[in-house]
Amino acid sequence: MTQHISKSNGKLWVIFIVLLPIFLFGLFYLYTKQARTDLETMKYPRKMFSIGLDTITEGTFKRIDTVYHEIPDFSFTNQYGQTVTKEQFPDKILIVDFFFTSCPTICPTMSEQLARVQSQLIRDDRVVIVSYTIDPTRDTPEKLKAYGEEYGAVPGKWQFLTGDKEEIYQLALKGYKISALDEGGDEEHDGFVHTDRFAVVDPNWNIRGYYTGTSEHDVNIMLGDVLLLLEEFKR
């Protein structure tokens, strides 16, 4: 009887030893499958406005060569009276919007969101915020400085730019591919038209995404995409 029980126990141990690796492999497969799924859903912000130029043959493979839309050069004045050009932003990721200080509708909400973005990214000097006024006649550097202080703009982290009106509008329309119009802006500020979008620009001055600046949800997505870009453009 004892011998029979001993043999049965021996068989159970053999079965256990055989099945244990299979069980562990199953757990490992399920875990790595979930990890693979997570990685597949984590995508870098795509580059915008790619233009196919030619098909390049590399061995047995072919690919479409592309160039990407690049923000053109500009020269404007910031809230401290300093001249600002693209050269002031080497290796930077830009978060860009167009606004005007006396805007009674969407601008305050957008600026509040940018203040939140600034606080989230304050420790990383690779990210800067640039706000272009579409009412440069009234938005002098002094007025932009007061507006920036109202929203807690940190010097160097958040730039407010003014300058020639037509140059600003052309930069918005042809550079950032977003709307900025003056359809007869008056003292009541009727007629100024601009987008509610934030644009994210990578260190190569390529537009990488647009986000609704009045939506906290969209801005949170933008923050995540900026972190991905920081990983992509490691120093």
Side-chain angles (χ1 to χ4, degrees), residues 34-191:
Q34 181 60 46
R36 289 193 300 274
T37 301
D38 292 343
L39 286 174
E40 287 171 0
T41 58
M42 188 175 183
K43 299 183 184 300
Y44 285 97
R46 65 188 181 88
K47 289 192 176 182
M48 306 294 288
F49 306 112
S50 59
I51 305 169
L53 292 179
D54 200 1
T55 301
I56 296 177
T57 300
E58 297 175 335
T60 58
F61 299 97
K62 290 185 178 181
R63 66 179 176 84
I64 300 296
D65 188 24
T66 59
V67 293
Y68 293 96
H69 175 77
E70 181 180 339
I71 304 301
D73 293 333
F74 59 81
S75 179
F76 297 119
T77 303
N78 70 8
Q79 68 266 45
Y80 305 108
Q82 301 165 329
T83 299
V84 175
T85 66
K86 285 172 64 173
E87 283 67 36
Q88 268 68 54
F89 305 104
D91 303 317
K92 303 294 186 183
I93 293 169
L94 271 65
I95 298 170
V96 173
D97 81 320
F98 287 79
F99 83 113
F100 58 107
T101 61
S102 54
C103 170
T105 54
I106 61 174
C107 296
T109 302
M110 293 170 67
S111 296
E112 287 169 3
Q113 288 297 325
L114 287 176
R116 184 169 70 89
V117 168
Q118 177 183 244
S119 67
Q120 293 289 321
L121 300 171
I122 193 65
R123 294 177 180 272
D124 202 315
D125 63 2
R126 294 173 294 171
V127 182
V128 294
I129 302 169
V130 179
S131 295
Y132 298 88
T133 177
I134 64 166
D135 185 15
T137 303
R138 282 183 280 260
D139 285 344
T140 62
E142 294 77 18
K143 198 165 185 179
L144 291 176
K145 184 173 181 291
Y147 184 89
E149 290 172 349
E150 181 181 346
Y151 288 94
V154 175
K157 187 70 173 179
W158 190 350
Q159 300 262 17
F160 293 85
L161 302 184
T162 188
D164 181 81
K165 190 174 189 177
E166 277 308 309
E167 288 182 15
I168 292 173
Y169 283 23
Q170 287 300 306
L171 183 65
L173 295 170
K174 295 183 178 180
Y176 290 102
K177 306 291 185 180
I178 53 182
S179 61
L181 302 168
D182 180 0
E183 297 179 343
D186 56 24
E187 291 299 329
E188 299 299 321
H189 315 300
D190 293 326

Side-chain angles (χ1 to χ4, degrees), residues 6-26:
S6 180
K7 287 181 178 180
S8 297
N9 288 339
K11 289 179 180 179
L12 289 174
W13 272 107
V14 170
I15 293 171
F16 175 76
I17 291 171
V18 170
L19 292 178
L20 181 61
I22 298 173
F23 176 73
L24 293 175
F25 176 79

